[in-house]
Amino acid sequence: MKEFAIYSALRLGLMLTTFVVIAGVWLLVHPSSFNLVFAVVAAFLVSGLIALTMLDRRREEFARKIQARADRAAAKLEERRARED
């Protein structure tokens, strides 16, 4: 589950960084109309789009580990079934 922790930390860091950039630019350009909810939603959407490309390798690595774990569990289950028969 190390890959999950790394991916989650990177995704959270990307979200926070994107929020800081969006909120900072917004506050510099038009501080009187700053809307926290909109800034969070915008940061979530923008960081999601960035994560699609930047975190692709980490996501694939995590998916491979999960698939390998599922394959091992399925093989053990089949082995137990074969022993029962």
Side-chain angles (χ1 to χ4, degrees):
M1 297 317 278
K2 175 183 167 187
E3 289 78 16
F4 176 74
I6 291 172
Y7 177 76
S8 296
L10 288 172
R11 184 69 198 263
L12 182 62
L14 182 61
M15 168 64 182
L16 291 175
T17 303
T18 306
F19 172 75
V20 168
V21 169
I22 288 174
V25 168
W26 195 341
L27 287 170
L28 284 174
V29 172
H30 206 266
S32 62
S33 70
F34 181 73
N35 184 340
L36 180 64
V37 174
F38 185 74
V40 169
V41 170
F44 182 74
L45 293 173
V46 171
S47 71
L49 293 173
I50 294 170
L52 283 174
T53 57
M54 287 183 61
L55 300 180
D56 185 50
R57 185 178 54 128
R58 293 287 185 180
R59 189 174 39 255
E60 289 295 322
E61 186 178 316
F62 175 57
R64 268 186 294 198
K65 292 281 185 169
I66 294 297
Q67 185 62 46
R69 184 183 236 180
D71 290 343
R72 285 192 308 268
K76 286 180 182 179
L77 181 63
E78 284 300 318
E79 183 182 321
R80 281 188 228 133
R81 283 185 183 169
R83 274 192 265 157
E84 282 181 5
D85 294 339

